[in-house]
Amino acid sequence: MEIIEQLNWRYATKAMNGKKIPQEKIDRILEAARLAPSSNGLQPFEIIVVSNQELKEKIRPAAFNQPQITGCSHLLVFAAWDQYTPERIDGFIAHTAATRGGDPERLERQRQSLMHNFGRMDQDRGYAHAARQAYLSLGVTIVAAAAEGVDGTPMEGFDPEQLDAILDLRSKGLRSAVIIALGYRDTEKDWLVHLTKVRKDKAQFVTELN
């Protein structure tokens, strides 16, 4: 399917049938998520991939008992850095140097710029910024899933503190930001499956300043 057809096909699936997604499709979706843009290329988040059914059952009450949690094939948890730290920024610079090489003085200027822009953020502001970067990757994930013929339901309806505790995220300096259930729609149980997609008309959505 072409990209517009794929986006017309997808919707926020409310009931999934439990069918497993082939690993090669998951791998391509995750690679697309990895290649998504982020501020300064920092990628201040990680993706936790949950396919273990018992763990999904444990997570479901923390997500207000939504059936997609246990009906999906894979649950992706986008976990953002809890704050920007000198160690994390230094790690990024070291990885950049190992990947690209480059002039040490230029890299040091980049490090100083990152420390100036991010290193001085307090914890709440730093996490909020990191979470927004995770959402950029989430958007790419949604499109990549649709391109694979996989349903993806992004979800903010969960208790972050409970989910963080279940996955032990705080010990890793992470906090859950958003989740997406990946799977296949249950066409017999999902009341949304045959409904027309509702979106604003272009004239209501786009303002062109020529």
Side-chain angles (χ1 to χ4, degrees), residues 7 36 78 134-144:
L7 293 176
F78 289 74
Y135 271 80
L136 292 175
S137 182
L138 171 70
V140 173
T141 300
I142 292 169
V143 177

Side-chain angles (χ1 to χ4, degrees), residues 51-187:
S51 57
N52 179 278
Q53 193 62 27
E54 290 184 5
L55 185 53
K56 287 187 287 182
E57 294 282 354
K58 190 174 181 179
I59 291 171
R60 180 166 168 166
F64 310 123
N65 207 38
Q66 295 180 82
Q68 302 98 312
I69 301 296
T70 48
C72 72
S73 171
H74 293 68
L75 182 69
L76 307 188
V77 179
F78 289 74
W81 289 356
D82 57 359
Q83 65 183 120
Y84 290 95
T85 64
E87 292 77 17
R88 282 170 160 164
I89 291 172
D90 286 346
F92 170 74
I93 292 297
H95 179 61
T96 300
T99 303
R100 289 181 174 173
D103 175 35
E105 290 187 8
R106 183 191 61 78
L107 289 168
E108 176 58 20
R109 288 195 299 271
Q110 184 181 12
R111 189 187 77 82
Q112 292 291 344
S113 176
L114 292 173
M115 284 298 302
H116 176 78
N117 292 327
F118 301 110
R120 299 188 300 176
M121 289 181 178
D122 63 32
Q123 192 165 15
D124 287 343
R125 187 179 170 208
Y127 166 71
H129 183 273
R132 289 196 295 272
Q133 311 315 303
Y135 271 80
L136 292 175
S137 182
L138 171 70
V140 173
T141 300
I142 292 169
V143 177
E148 296 288 344
V150 169
D151 286 297
T153 304
M155 305 166 74
E156 292 183 315
F158 63 93
D159 185 315
E161 291 189 5
Q162 289 187 41
L163 184 55
D164 291 354
I166 292 169
L167 299 178
D168 192 28
L169 296 181
R170 297 298 177 100
S171 71
K172 304 176 180 68
L174 300 170
R175 293 168 58 184
S176 53
V178 65
I179 63 180
I180 182 170
L182 298 177
Y184 296 102
R185 63 192 65 177
D186 187 328
T187 56

